[in-house]
Structures are given as structure tokens and as C-alpha cells.
Amino acid sequence: ALAVALCYIGSMFVLGRLTASQVRFELTAAGVQVRRVLAAPLPLRPLAREIVVEEGNSFLVGEIRTGGQLQAVGHWPKWPAPGDLGDPAVAFAATTPDAATFLGWARFPTYLVDRRGGATVVHFIDLRYAREPEARFGTLSVLVSSGSLVFGAPPPPR
């Protein structure tokens, strides 16, 4: 049983590396500047990988089946992307202790700004684990009050 488990783990590792190399080759051939590639296995689909590619100021997210072509799902902004710190809500949210800890831990950090209902919430997301702010793991939401932005007040204590 131990030998079977080790063979499975080894094959999954090699398959992940080969898939990441294939994605890097495919995108580089298309003229995309690829910095890093994450090829994570999908639950109950050992031959498919969820892909996150760091390219310039954004992340390309997609899926690939072994031996197939990358199916892009979308692009996410990279944290911190040049010019995005000009948004006072994002800049302020990043200074909170929780956000500083989260952004130091995240390997593929992105963010969304939600300005609905008179409130501003900045959602930080690590694309290794989540694609939506409501995910149970790999996300952090920071409520930014308009008073903090206007007066430059320090973040509220937790």
C-alpha cells in the first residue's frame, strides 16, 4: 500500500511539472511573458489541472487536461499592480494588520473592490485556493469606512 501511495504521489508531482512546462511553452510561443505557473490538481480529476499564470501585471486563470490545451477562464489583477495603489480604498485596506499578514502569506495575491450599498469592501484573494471572495479559505475581506479614507485614520483594531 505504501509503494502504491508513493507511486501515486510521484506521478502526480511529475504530471504537475509537465503540465506547468506545457502551459509555459504554449503561452511563451503565443508571445505572453510568463513569470510563474501553478498547476494544481483538481478534486476527483487526476488528469486535469487548475492553472494560474503570473504574466506581467495580471494573473491568467484556466484549466488544462493532460495533453490538452489551456482553456483560459479569465484574468485577475496582480497585487500590487502599478497604479492600483492610487485607489485609496485598496491602499488603505492593504495597511491593516490582517491584510499585511495575508499579503505576506499569499503566493498569487489578487483583489476585488466591492462598492455596493454605500460600503467599500476590499477582498484580497490568493488564487491558489479561491476565485471568489465568499470562499472559506484563501480570502480576506477588509471593510473600509469612508471616514478612514477621508481623514487617513489608522485601521480599526480587531
Short mmCIF file of all heavy atoms in Angstrom, two decimals, residues 39-95:
data_model
loop_
_atom_site.label_atom_id
_atom_site.label_comp_id
_atom_site.label_asym_id
_atom_site.label_seq_id
_atom_site.Cartn_x
_atom_site.Cartn_y
_atom_site.Cartn_z
N ALA A 39 0.26 24.71 -11.40
CA ALA A 39 -0.60 23.67 -11.97
C ALA A 39 -1.07 22.80 -10.81
O ALA A 39 -0.36 21.90 -10.38
CB ALA A 39 0.15 22.85 -13.00
N ALA A 40 -2.26 23.09 -10.30
CA ALA A 40 -2.78 22.38 -9.12
C ALA A 40 -3.80 21.33 -9.55
O ALA A 40 -4.65 21.59 -10.41
CB ALA A 40 -3.44 23.39 -8.18
N PRO A 41 -3.74 20.14 -8.94
CA PRO A 41 -4.71 19.10 -9.30
C PRO A 41 -6.12 19.48 -8.88
O PRO A 41 -6.32 20.20 -7.90
CB PRO A 41 -4.21 17.88 -8.51
CG PRO A 41 -3.37 18.43 -7.42
CD PRO A 41 -2.81 19.73 -7.90
N LEU A 42 -7.07 19.01 -9.64
CA LEU A 42 -8.49 19.24 -9.34
C LEU A 42 -9.07 18.01 -8.63
O LEU A 42 -8.72 16.88 -8.97
CB LEU A 42 -9.26 19.51 -10.63
CG LEU A 42 -8.94 20.85 -11.28
CD1 LEU A 42 -9.43 20.88 -12.71
CD2 LEU A 42 -9.55 21.97 -10.48
N PRO A 43 -9.95 18.21 -7.67
CA PRO A 43 -10.54 17.08 -6.96
C PRO A 43 -11.25 16.12 -7.91
O PRO A 43 -11.99 16.55 -8.79
CB PRO A 43 -11.54 17.73 -6.01
CG PRO A 43 -11.11 19.15 -5.89
CD PRO A 43 -10.44 19.49 -7.19
N LEU A 44 -11.01 14.85 -7.71
CA LEU A 44 -11.65 13.76 -8.46
C LEU A 44 -11.34 13.79 -9.96
O LEU A 44 -12.00 13.10 -10.73
CB LEU A 44 -13.17 13.77 -8.24
CG LEU A 44 -13.62 13.66 -6.78
CD1 LEU A 44 -15.13 13.79 -6.69
CD2 LEU A 44 -13.14 12.36 -6.16
N ARG A 45 -10.36 14.58 -10.38
CA ARG A 45 -9.96 14.64 -11.79
C ARG A 45 -8.43 14.65 -11.85
O ARG A 45 -7.83 15.69 -12.09
CB ARG A 45 -10.54 15.90 -12.44
CG ARG A 45 -12.06 15.88 -12.47
CD ARG A 45 -12.67 17.15 -12.98
NE ARG A 45 -12.13 17.54 -14.27
CZ ARG A 45 -12.22 18.78 -14.74
NH1 ARG A 45 -12.79 19.72 -14.05
NH2 ARG A 45 -11.72 19.07 -15.91
N PRO A 46 -7.80 13.51 -11.64
CA PRO A 46 -6.34 13.48 -11.54
C PRO A 46 -5.60 13.88 -12.81
O PRO A 46 -4.43 14.25 -12.74
CB PRO A 46 -6.03 12.04 -11.16
CG PRO A 46 -7.23 11.26 -11.56
CD PRO A 46 -8.39 12.19 -11.48
N LEU A 47 -6.24 13.85 -13.95
CA LEU A 47 -5.56 14.21 -15.20
C LEU A 47 -5.82 15.66 -15.60
O LEU A 47 -5.33 16.11 -16.64
CB LEU A 47 -5.99 13.28 -16.33
CG LEU A 47 -5.61 11.81 -16.11
CD1 LEU A 47 -6.09 10.97 -17.28
CD2 LEU A 47 -4.11 11.64 -15.91
N ALA A 48 -6.55 16.40 -14.78
CA ALA A 48 -6.82 17.81 -15.07
C ALA A 48 -6.12 18.67 -14.03
O ALA A 48 -5.89 18.25 -12.89
CB ALA A 48 -8.32 18.08 -15.05
N ARG A 49 -5.75 19.87 -14.44
CA ARG A 49 -5.06 20.80 -13.54
C ARG A 49 -5.71 22.18 -13.64
O ARG A 49 -6.08 22.63 -14.72
CB ARG A 49 -3.58 20.94 -13.91
CG ARG A 49 -2.75 19.71 -13.71
CD ARG A 49 -2.48 19.51 -12.24
NE ARG A 49 -1.60 18.40 -11.95
CZ ARG A 49 -2.00 17.15 -11.74
NH1 ARG A 49 -3.26 16.85 -11.85
NH2 ARG A 49 -1.13 16.20 -11.43
N GLU A 50 -5.80 22.82 -12.50
CA GLU A 50 -6.20 24.22 -12.45
C GLU A 50 -4.92 25.02 -12.61
O GLU A 50 -3.91 24.74 -11.97
CB GLU A 50 -6.86 24.51 -11.11
CG GLU A 50 -7.49 25.85 -11.01
CD GLU A 50 -8.30 25.95 -9.73
OE1 GLU A 50 -7.73 25.75 -8.64
OE2 GLU A 50 -9.49 26.24 -9.85
N ILE A 51 -4.94 26.03 -13.48
CA ILE A 51 -3.73 26.76 -13.84
C ILE A 51 -3.84 28.22 -13.39
O ILE A 51 -4.87 28.86 -13.59
CB ILE A 51 -3.51 26.73 -15.37
CG1 ILE A 51 -3.41 25.28 -15.86
CG2 ILE A 51 -2.30 27.54 -15.77
CD1 ILE A 51 -2.24 24.51 -15.34
N VAL A 52 -2.77 28.73 -12.81
CA VAL A 52 -2.62 30.15 -12.52
C VAL A 52 -1.27 30.56 -13.10
O VAL A 52 -0.25 29.96 -12.78
CB VAL A 52 -2.66 30.46 -11.01
CG1 VAL A 52 -2.49 31.95 -10.77
CG2 VAL A 52 -3.94 29.95 -10.37
N VAL A 53 -1.30 31.56 -13.98
CA VAL A 53 -0.08 32.03 -14.64
C VAL A 53 0.14 33.50 -14.28
O VAL A 53 -0.75 34.32 -14.49
CB VAL A 53 -0.18 31.89 -16.17
CG1 VAL A 53 1.08 32.43 -16.84
CG2 VAL A 53 -0.43 30.45 -16.56
N GLU A 54 1.31 33.80 -13.73
CA GLU A 54 1.65 35.19 -13.47
C GLU A 54 2.24 35.75 -14.75
O GLU A 54 3.26 35.26 -15.24
CB GLU A 54 2.67 35.30 -12.34
CG GLU A 54 3.05 36.72 -12.02
CD GLU A 54 4.08 36.82 -10.92
OE1 GLU A 54 4.42 35.81 -10.28
OE2 GLU A 54 4.57 37.94 -10.71
N GLU A 55 1.58 36.77 -15.30
CA GLU A 55 2.03 37.38 -16.54
C GLU A 55 1.96 38.90 -16.40
O GLU A 55 0.88 39.45 -16.29
CB GLU A 55 1.18 36.91 -17.71
CG GLU A 55 -0.30 37.06 -17.50
CD GLU A 55 -1.14 36.78 -18.72
OE1 GLU A 55 -0.66 36.19 -19.68
OE2 GLU A 55 -2.30 37.19 -18.70
N GLY A 56 3.09 39.54 -16.35
CA GLY A 56 3.10 41.00 -16.25
C GLY A 56 2.38 41.48 -15.00
O GLY A 56 2.73 41.11 -13.89
N ASN A 57 1.32 42.27 -15.20
CA ASN A 57 0.58 42.85 -14.09
C ASN A 57 -0.72 42.13 -13.79
O ASN A 57 -1.62 42.70 -13.15
CB ASN A 57 0.27 44.33 -14.38
CG ASN A 57 1.53 45.15 -14.40
OD1 ASN A 57 2.49 44.86 -13.69
ND2 ASN A 57 1.55 46.18 -15.23
N SER A 58 -0.86 40.90 -14.27
CA SER A 58 -2.09 40.18 -14.02
C SER A 58 -1.82 38.68 -13.89
O SER A 58 -0.71 38.21 -14.13
CB SER A 58 -3.11 40.43 -15.14
OG SER A 58 -2.64 39.87 -16.35
N PHE A 59 -2.86 37.97 -13.50
CA PHE A 59 -2.83 36.51 -13.44
C PHE A 59 -3.83 35.96 -14.44
O PHE A 59 -4.97 36.42 -14.49
CB PHE A 59 -3.21 36.00 -12.05
CG PHE A 59 -2.25 36.36 -10.97
CD1 PHE A 59 -2.59 37.26 -9.98
CD2 PHE A 59 -0.98 35.79 -10.92
CE1 PHE A 59 -1.71 37.58 -8.97
CE2 PHE A 59 -0.09 36.11 -9.92
CZ PHE A 59 -0.46 37.01 -8.93
N LEU A 60 -3.41 35.01 -15.22
CA LEU A 60 -4.30 34.27 -16.12
C LEU A 60 -4.71 33.01 -15.38
O LEU A 60 -3.86 32.29 -14.85
CB LEU A 60 -3.57 33.90 -17.41
CG LEU A 60 -4.29 32.93 -18.35
CD1 LEU A 60 -5.53 33.60 -18.94
CD2 LEU A 60 -3.36 32.47 -19.44
N VAL A 61 -6.00 32.75 -15.33
CA VAL A 61 -6.53 31.57 -14.65
C VAL A 61 -7.22 30.70 -15.68
O VAL A 61 -7.93 31.19 -16.56
CB VAL A 61 -7.51 31.99 -13.54
CG1 VAL A 61 -8.13 30.79 -12.87
CG2 VAL A 61 -6.81 32.86 -12.51
N GLY A 62 -6.99 29.40 -15.57
CA GLY A 62 -7.62 28.49 -16.51
C GLY A 62 -7.54 27.06 -16.05
O GLY A 62 -7.25 26.77 -14.88
N GLU A 63 -7.79 26.17 -16.99
CA GLU A 63 -7.79 24.74 -16.70
C GLU A 63 -7.20 24.01 -17.90
O GLU A 63 -7.33 24.46 -19.04
CB GLU A 63 -9.23 24.28 -16.46
CG GLU A 63 -9.36 22.89 -15.92
CD GLU A 63 -10.80 22.53 -15.58
OE1 GLU A 63 -11.46 23.28 -14.86
OE2 GLU A 63 -11.26 21.51 -16.11
N ILE A 64 -6.55 22.90 -17.62
CA ILE A 64 -5.98 22.10 -18.70
C ILE A 64 -6.09 20.63 -18.32
O ILE A 64 -5.96 20.25 -17.16
CB ILE A 64 -4.51 22.49 -18.96
CG1 ILE A 64 -3.98 21.83 -20.23
CG2 ILE A 64 -3.63 22.19 -17.77
CD1 ILE A 64 -2.64 22.38 -20.69
N ARG A 65 -6.35 19.83 -19.31
CA ARG A 65 -6.33 18.38 -19.14
C ARG A 65 -5.01 17.90 -19.71
O ARG A 65 -4.53 18.44 -20.70
CB ARG A 65 -7.51 17.75 -19.88
CG ARG A 65 -7.65 16.27 -19.66
CD ARG A 65 -9.02 15.81 -20.17
NE ARG A 65 -9.09 14.37 -20.22
CZ ARG A 65 -9.30 13.60 -19.16
NH1 ARG A 65 -9.46 14.13 -17.98
NH2 ARG A 65 -9.36 12.29 -19.29
N THR A 66 -4.40 16.92 -19.10
CA THR A 66 -3.09 16.43 -19.53
C THR A 66 -3.10 16.14 -21.03
O THR A 66 -3.96 15.42 -21.53
CB THR A 66 -2.71 15.16 -18.75
OG1 THR A 66 -2.72 15.49 -17.37
CG2 THR A 66 -1.33 14.68 -19.15
N GLY A 67 -2.14 16.74 -21.73
CA GLY A 67 -2.03 16.55 -23.17
C GLY A 67 -2.93 17.47 -23.97
O GLY A 67 -2.86 17.51 -25.18
N GLY A 68 -3.76 18.25 -23.30
CA GLY A 68 -4.68 19.17 -23.99
C GLY A 68 -4.12 20.57 -24.04
O GLY A 68 -2.96 20.81 -23.74
N GLN A 69 -4.97 21.51 -24.41
CA GLN A 69 -4.58 22.90 -24.46
C GLN A 69 -5.20 23.66 -23.30
O GLN A 69 -6.27 23.29 -22.80
CB GLN A 69 -5.02 23.54 -25.77
CG GLN A 69 -4.21 23.07 -26.96
CD GLN A 69 -4.58 23.87 -28.20
OE1 GLN A 69 -5.74 24.14 -28.44
NE2 GLN A 69 -3.57 24.24 -28.96
N LEU A 70 -4.55 24.74 -22.92
CA LEU A 70 -5.03 25.58 -21.83
C LEU A 70 -6.35 26.23 -22.20
O LEU A 70 -6.47 26.82 -23.27
CB LEU A 70 -3.99 26.66 -21.50
CG LEU A 70 -4.39 27.69 -20.47
CD1 LEU A 70 -4.58 27.03 -19.10
CD2 LEU A 70 -3.33 28.78 -20.39
N GLN A 71 -7.33 26.09 -21.34
CA GLN A 71 -8.62 26.75 -21.51
C GLN A 71 -8.67 27.91 -20.51
O GLN A 71 -8.88 27.70 -19.33
CB GLN A 71 -9.78 25.78 -21.24
CG GLN A 71 -9.78 24.56 -22.13
CD GLN A 71 -9.96 24.92 -23.58
OE1 GLN A 71 -10.81 25.74 -23.93
NE2 GLN A 71 -9.15 24.33 -24.44
N ALA A 72 -8.44 29.13 -21.00
CA ALA A 72 -8.41 30.30 -20.12
C ALA A 72 -9.81 30.61 -19.62
O ALA A 72 -10.78 30.54 -20.37
CB ALA A 72 -7.84 31.49 -20.85
N VAL A 73 -9.90 30.94 -18.34
CA VAL A 73 -11.18 31.30 -17.73
C VAL A 73 -11.26 32.80 -17.54
O VAL A 73 -12.33 33.39 -17.67
CB VAL A 73 -11.36 30.57 -16.38
CG1 VAL A 73 -12.62 31.03 -15.67
CG2 VAL A 73 -11.38 29.07 -16.58
N GLY A 74 -10.14 33.45 -17.23
CA GLY A 74 -10.17 34.90 -17.03
C GLY A 74 -8.85 35.44 -16.53
O GLY A 74 -7.89 34.70 -16.30
N HIS A 75 -8.83 36.76 -16.37
CA HIS A 75 -7.66 37.45 -15.84
C HIS A 75 -8.02 38.14 -14.53
O HIS A 75 -9.14 38.62 -14.37
CB HIS A 75 -7.17 38.51 -16.83
CG HIS A 75 -6.38 37.94 -17.95
ND1 HIS A 75 -6.96 37.40 -19.07
CD2 HIS A 75 -5.04 37.81 -18.12
CE1 HIS A 75 -6.02 36.97 -19.88
NE2 HIS A 75 -4.84 37.21 -19.34
N TRP A 76 -7.06 38.18 -13.63
CA TRP A 76 -7.21 38.85 -12.34
C TRP A 76 -6.07 39.85 -12.20
O TRP A 76 -4.95 39.58 -12.62
CB TRP A 76 -7.12 37.83 -11.21
CG TRP A 76 -8.28 36.91 -11.14
CD1 TRP A 76 -8.54 35.84 -11.95
CD2 TRP A 76 -9.36 36.96 -10.21
NE1 TRP A 76 -9.69 35.21 -11.56
CE2 TRP A 76 -10.22 35.89 -10.49
CE3 TRP A 76 -9.66 37.80 -9.15
CZ2 TRP A 76 -11.37 35.64 -9.76
CZ3 TRP A 76 -10.81 37.55 -8.42
CH2 TRP A 76 -11.65 36.49 -8.73
N PRO A 77 -6.32 40.98 -11.53
CA PRO A 77 -5.22 41.92 -11.31
C PRO A 77 -4.22 41.36 -10.32
O PRO A 77 -4.58 40.62 -9.40
CB PRO A 77 -5.93 43.16 -10.73
CG PRO A 77 -7.17 42.64 -10.12
CD PRO A 77 -7.58 41.45 -10.95
N LYS A 78 -2.98 41.68 -10.51
CA LYS A 78 -1.92 41.22 -9.63
C LYS A 78 -1.74 42.23 -8.51
O LYS A 78 -1.83 43.43 -8.73
CB LYS A 78 -0.63 41.09 -10.44
CG LYS A 78 0.54 40.59 -9.68
CD LYS A 78 1.71 40.45 -10.64
CE LYS A 78 3.00 40.41 -9.91
NZ LYS A 78 4.13 40.42 -10.83
N TRP A 79 -1.51 41.74 -7.31
CA TRP A 79 -1.24 42.65 -6.20
C TRP A 79 0.25 42.76 -5.99
O TRP A 79 0.91 41.74 -5.94
CB TRP A 79 -1.87 42.14 -4.91
CG TRP A 79 -1.41 42.97 -3.76
CD1 TRP A 79 -0.41 42.67 -2.88
CD2 TRP A 79 -1.86 44.26 -3.41
NE1 TRP A 79 -0.23 43.69 -2.00
CE2 TRP A 79 -1.12 44.69 -2.31
CE3 TRP A 79 -2.83 45.11 -3.94
CZ2 TRP A 79 -1.31 45.91 -1.71
CZ3 TRP A 79 -3.02 46.32 -3.34
CH2 TRP A 79 -2.27 46.71 -2.24
N PRO A 80 0.82 43.90 -5.80
CA PRO A 80 0.26 45.20 -6.15
C PRO A 80 0.59 45.52 -7.61
O PRO A 80 1.73 45.40 -8.02
CB PRO A 80 0.99 46.16 -5.22
CG PRO A 80 2.33 45.54 -5.00
CD PRO A 80 2.11 44.04 -5.10
N ALA A 81 -0.40 45.90 -8.34
CA ALA A 81 -0.20 46.29 -9.74
C ALA A 81 0.09 47.79 -9.77
O ALA A 81 -0.51 48.54 -9.01
CB ALA A 81 -1.44 45.98 -10.57
N PRO A 82 1.00 48.22 -10.62
CA PRO A 82 1.31 49.65 -10.69
C PRO A 82 0.05 50.46 -10.97
O PRO A 82 -0.78 50.09 -11.78
CB PRO A 82 2.28 49.75 -11.87
CG PRO A 82 2.85 48.39 -12.00
CD PRO A 82 1.78 47.44 -11.55
N GLY A 83 -0.11 51.56 -10.24
CA GLY A 83 -1.25 52.44 -10.43
C GLY A 83 -2.44 52.08 -9.57
O GLY A 83 -3.27 52.93 -9.28
N ASP A 84 -2.56 50.83 -9.12
CA ASP A 84 -3.71 50.45 -8.34
C ASP A 84 -3.65 50.97 -6.91
O ASP A 84 -4.65 51.02 -6.23
CB ASP A 84 -3.89 48.93 -8.33
CG ASP A 84 -4.41 48.43 -9.66
OD1 ASP A 84 -5.07 49.23 -10.36
OD2 ASP A 84 -4.15 47.28 -10.00
N LEU A 85 -2.48 51.33 -6.45
CA LEU A 85 -2.39 51.90 -5.12
C LEU A 85 -2.93 53.32 -5.12
O LEU A 85 -3.06 53.93 -4.07
CB LEU A 85 -0.95 51.85 -4.60
CG LEU A 85 -0.44 50.43 -4.36
CD1 LEU A 85 1.00 50.48 -3.87
CD2 LEU A 85 -1.30 49.70 -3.37
N GLY A 86 -3.26 53.85 -6.30
CA GLY A 86 -3.91 55.14 -6.39
C GLY A 86 -5.33 55.10 -5.88
O GLY A 86 -5.92 56.12 -5.56
N ASP A 87 -5.93 53.91 -5.80
CA ASP A 87 -7.26 53.77 -5.23
C ASP A 87 -7.09 53.80 -3.71
O ASP A 87 -6.51 52.88 -3.13
CB ASP A 87 -7.88 52.44 -5.67
CG ASP A 87 -9.31 52.26 -5.16
OD1 ASP A 87 -9.68 52.88 -4.13
OD2 ASP A 87 -10.05 51.47 -5.77
N PRO A 88 -7.59 54.83 -3.05
CA PRO A 88 -7.36 54.95 -1.61
C PRO A 88 -7.92 53.79 -0.80
O PRO A 88 -7.36 53.42 0.22
CB PRO A 88 -8.02 56.27 -1.22
CG PRO A 88 -8.70 56.79 -2.42
CD PRO A 88 -8.33 55.94 -3.59
N ALA A 89 -9.01 53.19 -1.27
CA ALA A 89 -9.60 52.06 -0.54
C ALA A 89 -8.66 50.87 -0.54
O ALA A 89 -8.45 50.21 0.49
CB ALA A 89 -10.95 51.68 -1.14
N VAL A 90 -8.05 50.57 -1.70
CA VAL A 90 -7.14 49.43 -1.80
C VAL A 90 -5.87 49.71 -0.99
O VAL A 90 -5.40 48.86 -0.24
CB VAL A 90 -6.79 49.14 -3.27
CG1 VAL A 90 -5.76 48.03 -3.38
CG2 VAL A 90 -8.06 48.77 -4.04
N ALA A 91 -5.34 50.91 -1.12
CA ALA A 91 -4.12 51.27 -0.39
C ALA A 91 -4.35 51.21 1.11
O ALA A 91 -3.52 50.68 1.85
CB ALA A 91 -3.65 52.66 -0.81
N PHE A 92 -5.50 51.72 1.57
CA PHE A 92 -5.79 51.70 3.00
C PHE A 92 -6.01 50.27 3.50
O PHE A 92 -5.48 49.88 4.54
CB PHE A 92 -7.04 52.54 3.31
CG PHE A 92 -7.38 52.55 4.76
CD1 PHE A 92 -6.70 53.38 5.64
CD2 PHE A 92 -8.36 51.71 5.26
CE1 PHE A 92 -7.00 53.38 6.98
CE2 PHE A 92 -8.66 51.70 6.60
CZ PHE A 92 -7.98 52.54 7.47
N ALA A 93 -6.77 49.48 2.76
CA ALA A 93 -7.04 48.10 3.18
C ALA A 93 -5.75 47.30 3.31
O ALA A 93 -5.62 46.47 4.22
CB ALA A 93 -7.99 47.42 2.19
N ALA A 94 -4.79 47.56 2.45
CA ALA A 94 -3.53 46.82 2.48
C ALA A 94 -2.69 47.15 3.71
O ALA A 94 -1.81 46.38 4.08
CB ALA A 94 -2.73 47.10 1.22
N THR A 95 -2.98 48.28 4.36
CA THR A 95 -2.20 48.65 5.54
C THR A 95 -2.73 48.04 6.83
O THR A 95 -2.08 48.16 7.87
CB THR A 95 -2.17 50.19 5.72
OG1 THR A 95 -3.50 50.65 5.99
CG2 THR A 95 -1.59 50.87 4.49
#
